[in-house]
Amino acid sequence: MVFRKLPGVSASGMGLRLSQKFVFLLFLSGLVTLCFGALFFLPDSVRLKRIFLSKTETQPVTVGSGSENDAREHLKRAGKEPEHPRGVTSAKGETSTKLKSLIRKPPVSHEATEERLAGDRAQEDLTLSRSRTQSASERVTSPDRGAGSDTFSYKKYTRCLLKPPLGRDGGKPSDPKTEERRVKVKEMMKFAWDNYKLYAWGKNELRPLTRNGHIGNMFGGLRGASIIDSLDTLYIMGLMEEYNDAKEWVQTSLDLNSNGEASLFEVNIRYVGGLLSAYYLTGEELFRSKAMELGEKLLPAFNTPTGIPRGVINLGSSGTSWSWGWASAGSSILAEFGTLHLEFVHLTELSNNPIYTEKVMNIRKLLNKIEKPHGLYPNFLSPVSGNWVQHHVSIGGLGDSFYEYLIKSYLMSDKTDDDAKKMYYGALEAIEANLVQKSTGGLTYMAEWRGGILDHKMGHLACFSGGMIGIGADDGAPDKRQHYLDLAAEITHTCHESYTRSATKLGPEAFRFDAGAEATATRLSDRYYILRPEVIESYMYMWRLTHDPKYRDWGWEAVEALEEHCRVESGFSGIRDVYTMTVSHDNMQQSFFLSETLKYLYLLFSDDDLLPLEDWVFNTEAHPLPIIRKSCLQDEATQDKTVSN
Ligand code: DMJ
């Protein structure tokens, strides 16, 4: 017998019409969604919530000291000496010899490339012209340097630069004294690198006194932080043998399949930033694909009710995320979720996947909308409710690079990102009205704000703000340009004072302007220096903006102090007390020393055409990223398509 289906009648024979069944199913799925959605609004302590939701949405788990600056800040507040975080995770696989033999290429000689370029350059004007046929930047980043590059993304970016990334002669300054200083900085980099290679290869950082490697717990199971952080520094310094070793390590040993718990912020600024900038400088596809792979692993951190990411993420397949255990009420940190924009926008550029930009734009939208006390941005925000958790405002630790990324987002967008511009100048206005102070001795400084009460202290981390205010001086109200340049110079001067007022001529972690103190640390726990870059970073920007020779002299003072007090037999080490000449070393060569401190010093003693600011913005770990010239990039894409057709 053949059963014929009657229209509108269920084949199951339950007697329900198809349309009724559809309505019923719709109702059922609505009910399930509603119940599940309601879980988000339950307090974190409710057991039901913990059963149904992954760690991502439940209460934060303490993971010890968190992101580098914040953890230190936290420890300081607790009145403890900073301790370098320790963590144990599984060791990564060794380089296979087979793979090695496949990728080993003769090292590219920086000098040879430079020589060839010098010949090319004689025939052309290397000023602002961008040639359609073969641009200056394309010649600088020649195929020798970019073997295996993804020609489409890479070429279109390099063609849209106004100047060759490495300048006429690798940025070699014309006056011999400056060149001598630059050579010295390059020697410091080689010394730091060689010792890392000898004693800590593949680990995250070098312990120069005990001559071993440090892994820490900031990067989950990721390894080689010093290698990734050094790639671009080695490249711009022309340390090509070292650069090639680093590149080979990335190819053979950088294992992104780690299962550890990492700081979203630190992985982003050091690893994603380092890989992106290595890609943009060299055109090596390897760096691009590693950056993309890692970027994707960071996305689950944004799975919160507001889209504000949590601070700690498991890089394994679970993708669970947590807030730092020490961050009040499971909050996320302004300087962490506010320091993703530059890298994420570039991840979208290179992948054509809008998701990265959408994630950071969502953060931007929320911050723009939310009410701000006196126009200020507090450091702690709940990723669940989207509200501020505390009213602590700081341009130093916990807040710092959020402000930096606002102005740099604007600059990196070729000055088209008006929201970033508005937010930056709005924030700066509020900072000036509430935080900027003049000491009795006439020093300008940025105090911290605790719900309306000023704490007259400035962290070393806050010293980046001289450079930040400097690079933003041109784009605020036209009548404020000089005012911003003056403010930038004053802050940089104050930070220099914090160095000159110490016995070692290195600056403390935090200095105060109360109880008779003027740019000096009063607490024992604030007296350390861990090879931080911020003061030198501001010297570099102020030099580029003003060409006042004092900034180069101040940078040289820092070099001499680093050599005298931080250089040990097997690398560079931080010191525990900048006020005593019998120094005690902390046995740690931070990866940011290679990525930032030495790079900024090198740039300070180079001509301005080495990584010109017209073309590049530096992420907060000093990794250069190119300005995105949308219309040029579109033209290039059309042109590339026409050619390939
Ligand atoms: C770096 O990792 C970055 O500059 C970050 O924004 C702040 N702290 C360190 C250097 O001090």
Side-chain angles (χ1 to χ4, degrees):
M1 209 189 323
V2 178
F3 288 97
R4 244 184 332 130
K5 261 207 246 166
L6 291 173
V9 175
S10 148
S12 66
M14 281 174 66
L16 279 179
R17 286 176 162 274
L18 204 60
S19 55
Q20 287 171 320
K21 195 175 174 188
F22 177 72
V23 171
F24 178 68
L25 280 175
L26 206 70
F27 172 75
L28 207 69
S29 67
L31 199 71
V32 170
T33 317
L34 210 72
C35 292
F36 195 70
L39 284 173
F40 287 107
F41 297 97
L42 290 176
D44 281 344
S45 52
V46 174
R47 201 148 159 249
L48 194 68
K49 182 172 181 175
R50 273 184 272 141
I51 295 168
F52 281 98
L53 295 184
S54 70
K55 272 181 190 167
T56 311
E57 304 308 343
T58 56
Q59 68 212 48
V61 171
T62 307
V63 291
S65 53
S67 80
E68 183 266 332
N69 49 339
D70 303 337
R72 274 172 214 297
E73 182 67 21
H74 170 65
L75 287 169
K76 266 187 297 157
R77 267 184 279 128
K80 293 178 202 156
E81 271 292 290
E83 219 178 74
H84 296 290
R86 272 165 224 267
V88 196
T89 31
S90 63
K92 293 294 157 210
E94 284 301 295
T95 308
S96 100
T97 346
K98 197 171 156 206
L99 198 53
K100 259 188 190 166
S101 69
L102 278 176
I103 62 147
R104 197 180 290 280
K105 291 196 201 99
V108 180
S109 145
H110 191 283
E111 278 68 31
T113 318
E114 293 304 327
E115 234 169 68
R116 185 167 40 71
L117 286 168
D120 287 358
R121 284 186 206 108
Q123 298 157 33
E124 63 178 351
D125 175 18
L126 274 188
T127 48
L128 293 174
S129 67
R130 182 173 59 85
S131 145
R132 279 254 164 227
T133 43
Q134 192 194 17
S135 71
S137 50
E138 205 181 334
R139 275 188 299 280
V140 170
T141 45
S142 69
D144 292 30
R145 288 183 164 209
S149 63
D150 168 320
T151 29
F152 175 66
S153 313
Y154 181 63
K155 277 196 181 159
K156 81 179 174 163
Y157 272 95
T158 51
R159 281 188 201 137
C160 290
L161 297 175
L162 302 173
K163 292 179 173 177
L166 302 187
R168 280 164 202 273
D169 197 4
K172 186 173 174 185
S174 48
D175 83 287
K177 185 172 115 192
T178 309
E179 172 57 2
E180 217 175 277
R181 291 175 169 184
R182 196 171 89 127
V183 168
K184 175 68 204 168
V185 174
K186 183 170 167 177
E187 183 278 328
M188 292 164 80
M189 179 68 190
K190 186 162 162 47
F191 178 72
W193 173 264
D194 285 348
N195 280 291
Y196 165 77
K197 191 174 169 205
L198 192 58
Y199 299 113
W201 190 239
K203 301 285 190 314
N204 285 327
E205 280 151 331
L206 165 70
R207 287 188 174 278
L209 299 187
T210 44
R211 297 195 179 107
N212 59 347
H214 170 257
I215 289 173
N217 61 4
M218 288 191 309
F219 311 114
L222 297 179
R223 297 288 183 273
S226 289
I227 299 177
I228 308 297
D229 253 354
S230 295
L231 282 163
D232 50 14
T233 312
L234 295 170
Y235 188 79
I236 66 161
M237 288 184 178
L239 289 165
M240 296 314 283
E241 209 175 292
E242 292 75 5
Y243 161 77
N244 279 304
D245 287 343
K247 186 179 87 183
E248 182 177 323
W249 184 88
V250 174
Q251 174 121 35
T252 59
S253 309
L254 175 59
D255 183 356
L256 301 180
N257 293 316
S258 98
N259 205 21
E261 290 146 14
S263 155
L264 169 69
F265 163 79
E266 297 288 358
V267 168
N268 177 59
I269 65 168
R270 301 193 202 206
Y271 283 83
V272 178
L275 290 165
L276 285 174
S277 102
Y279 172 68
Y280 282 120
L281 286 173
T282 68
E284 291 285 352
E285 172 59 16
L286 161 72
F287 299 134
R288 189 182 82 106
S289 60
K290 289 283 185 193
M292 301 310 314
E293 197 186 326
L294 188 52
E296 215 177 309
K297 285 174 182 287
L298 303 183
L299 289 174
F302 295 80
N303 295 339
T304 63
T306 56
I308 296 287
R310 296 186 191 275
V312 189
I313 176 159
N314 184 305
L315 294 172
S317 52
S318 73
T320 46
S321 64
W322 300 261
S323 298
W324 294 110
W326 48 265
S328 38
S331 54
S332 296
I333 312 297
L334 182 68
E336 297 199 330
F337 64 78
T339 309
L340 303 166
H341 203 100
L342 304 182
E343 297 82 2
F344 273 53
V345 165
H346 269 292
L347 287 175
T348 283
E349 285 295 317
L350 292 181
S351 64
N352 269 330
N353 185 346
I355 192 159
Y356 302 100
T357 302
E358 282 165 14
K359 296 287 180 200
V360 288
M361 280 305 187
N362 177 55
I363 299 177
R364 164 91 64 78
K365 223 166 97 195
L366 189 143
L367 287 174
N368 213 350
K369 220 172 59 194
I370 185 174
E371 203 173 311
K372 293 164 271 287
H374 299 273
L376 295 165
Y377 292 79
N379 291 336
F380 298 94
L381 186 95
S382 162
V384 176
S385 69
N387 292 322
W388 303 118
V389 172
Q390 266 187 16
H391 281 184
H392 172 213
V393 177
S394 151
I395 309 307
L398 306 177
D400 50 5
S401 41
F402 158 69
Y403 305 96
E404 177 186 351
Y405 270 35
L406 285 180
I407 184 64
K408 288 184 176 174
S409 295
Y410 173 65
L411 297 174
M412 198 180 84
S413 72
D414 201 18
K415 305 193 178 182
T416 60
D417 185 348
D418 287 329
D419 281 343
K421 177 180 178 180
K422 244 207 217 132
M423 285 170 77
Y424 171 73
Y425 290 103
L428 189 54
E429 215 171 280
I431 288 166
E432 280 202 75
N434 295 284
L435 269 54
V436 173
Q437 302 288 305
K438 196 60 115 205
S439 74
T440 39
L443 296 176
T444 304
Y445 64 98
M446 304 257 194
E448 301 202 352
W449 193 85
R450 294 176 192 277
I453 300 186
L454 284 183
D455 186 1
H456 294 272
K457 128 187 171 192
M458 187 163 169
H460 192 289
L461 288 163
C463 285
F464 84 97
S465 60
M468 175 186 77
I469 295 168
I471 55 170
D474 270 349
D475 300 296
D479 58 329
K480 287 197 109 180
R481 182 177 179 274
Q482 195 50 49
H483 165 74
Y484 286 139
L485 282 177
D486 292 344
L487 180 60
E490 284 171 31
I491 301 256
T492 308
H493 169 71
T494 300
C495 292
H496 175 248
E497 284 301 302
S498 78
Y499 275 48
T500 54
R501 293 173 190 211
S502 80
T504 56
K505 305 297 168 214
L506 292 165
E509 179 66 3
F511 42 94
R512 304 197 63 92
F513 297 88
D514 51 11
E518 281 268 333
T520 50
T522 49
R523 297 176 191 168
L524 254 176
S525 58
D526 284 340
R527 293 174 161 211
Y528 62 92
Y529 171 69
I530 55 165
L531 306 173
R532 284 199 192 280
E534 292 77 17
V535 176
I536 291 162
E537 175 181 347
S538 284
Y539 296 165
M540 191 284 288
Y541 283 116
M542 293 312 291
W543 160 256
R544 289 240 174 145
L545 296 168
T546 65
H547 289 144
D548 185 333
K550 78 179 175 202
Y551 295 113
R552 278 187 163 166
D553 291 339
W554 290 356
W556 186 246
E557 287 168 14
V559 167
E560 288 181 321
L562 284 165
E563 282 287 286
E564 189 179 345
H565 304 294
C566 300
R567 189 171 179 137
V568 293
E569 217 181 301
S570 303
F572 287 89
S573 166
I575 59 176
R576 293 188 207 281
D577 187 349
V578 295
Y579 298 104
T580 162
M581 290 297 268
T582 41
V583 292
S584 158
H585 292 107
D586 70 2
N587 194 22
M588 179 65 73
Q589 181 177 282
Q590 303 280 349
S591 82
F592 55 67
F593 180 65
L594 301 114
S595 146
E596 294 191 74
T597 313
L598 293 176
K599 187 188 283 129
Y600 284 133
L601 280 168
Y602 191 75
L603 292 171
L604 176 66
F605 300 130
S606 295
D607 272 359
D608 297 358
D609 65 359
L610 176 59
L611 297 174
L613 297 181
E614 293 97 314
D615 279 327
W616 300 88
V617 293
F618 292 87
N619 89 339
T620 194
E621 190 77 2
H623 295 305
L625 298 170
I627 285 174
I628 298 170
R629 298 201 161 87
K630 271 274 183 280
S631 57
C632 170
L633 290 169
Q634 269 149 15
D635 289 354
E636 289 297 336
T638 325
Q639 213 201 19
D640 270 14
K641 254 191 212 150
T642 323
V643 171
S644 66
N645 287 340

